[in-house]
Amino acid sequence: EAGVAQSPRYKIIEKRQSVAFWCNPISGHATLYWYQQILGQGPKLLIQFQNNGVVDDSQLPKDRFSAERLKGVDSTLKIQPAKLEDSAVYLCASSPLSYEQYFGPGTRLTVT
Amino acid sequence: AQSVSQHNHHVILSEAASLELGCNYSYGGTVNLFWYVQYPGQHLQLLLKYFSGDPLVKGIKGFEAEFIKSKFSFNLRKPSVQWSDTAEYFCAVNSGGYQKVTFGTGTKLQVIP
């Protein structure tokens, strides 16, 4: 079974620039999550999708972050404009239910 | 709001030593509990989970965890660690249904040969 795919793996941008991350979940998994993991901390949920719909986006900084899940499959997370404090690893995970999650390799973002 | 506390941020053990990593959560209702592990250079992966039933759950690679409801705890244990157990361990909780999963800050385990 193919795992969760994410791209790019690494990204370096300057502050105030925009960036987008892509995630392809495991086939058939209805739930998709985006997490932000800052160095030394645990993953923090940014947004959770159930098929096409948003279940939880309470911790998503909506003034600069946006996410969509097209046709209930792939998802993109965008940051515009980026700030220095957005430097982190962005993890995508998927789940057949809202329980056991399967994580992708993450995208390491550095904002300079 | 639910929260998760992991008391040990960095643990160093010699091979064959016993391991216990603490995890406490704050939610008072029904919970699902997880331990995830991240080996160096690898993805986060599920180590074990508790949904209901026997409070002592067994996971991969000889790990186990005990759910003690009265203490709001879900500590991870292994009787004899190996060098290959060097990794970062995350406790996580969700309150069921489509509720979000909250992660602890993680414990870095270093096993010395």
Side-chain angles (χ1 to χ4, degrees), chain A residues 4 31 33 35 37 39-43 45 48 50 55-56 58-59 91 97-105, chain B residues 32 34 36 38 41-46 49 51 88 90 94 96-106 108:
Chain A
V4 176
T31 310
Y33 313 78
Y35 289 90
Q37 186 175 16
L39 188 65
Q41 299 181 20
L45 181 70
Q48 177 178 339
Q50 184 71 21
V55 174
D56 189 321
S58 57
Q59 299 189 100
L91 298 167
L97 293 172
S98 188
Y99 298 142
E100 179 176 339
Q101 297 178 44
Y102 296 80
F103 284 84
Chain B
N32 300 312
F34 310 84
Y36 284 85
Q38 188 167 26
Q42 296 188 26
H43 310 178
L44 268 167
Q45 58 184 280
L46 184 70
K49 61 190 177 188
F51 290 164
E88 189 159 16
F90 293 92
N94 95 325
Y98 296 118
Q99 300 305 307
K100 70 180 181 184
V101 175
T102 301
F103 282 79
T105 53
K108 289 184 179 177

Side-chain angles (χ1 to χ4, degrees), chain A residues 46-93:
Chain A
L46 292 176
I47 189 166
Q48 177 178 339
F49 292 96
Q50 184 71 21
N51 296 311
N52 286 342
V54 175
V55 174
D56 189 321
D57 64 356
S58 57
Q59 299 189 100
L60 185 74
K62 297 180 185 65
D63 58 334
R64 298 184 301 106
F65 286 64
S66 64
E68 61 179 2
R69 189 176 185 194
L70 303 173
K71 299 179 181 178
V73 183
D74 292 7
S75 178
T76 56
L77 175 70
K78 297 179 182 177
I79 307 175
Q80 182 179 13
K83 293 185 176 181
L84 295 176
E85 58 261 36
D86 298 332
S87 294
V89 176
Y90 290 85
L91 298 167
C92 179

Side-chain angles (χ1 to χ4, degrees), chain B residues 1-2 5 9 14 22-24 27 45 47 50 52 54 56 61 68-69 73 76 83 91 96 103 109-110 112-113:
Chain B
Q2 62 197 19
S5 298
H9 297 294
S14 298
C23 172
N24 286 91
Y27 187 70
Q45 58 184 280
L47 196 57
Y50 172 80
S52 63
D54 189 343
L56 184 63
K61 302 185 180 183
I68 303 179
K69 188 174 182 179
S73 70
L76 181 70
W83 175 79
C91 182
F103 282 79
L109 172 65
Q110 184 180 356
I112 301 170

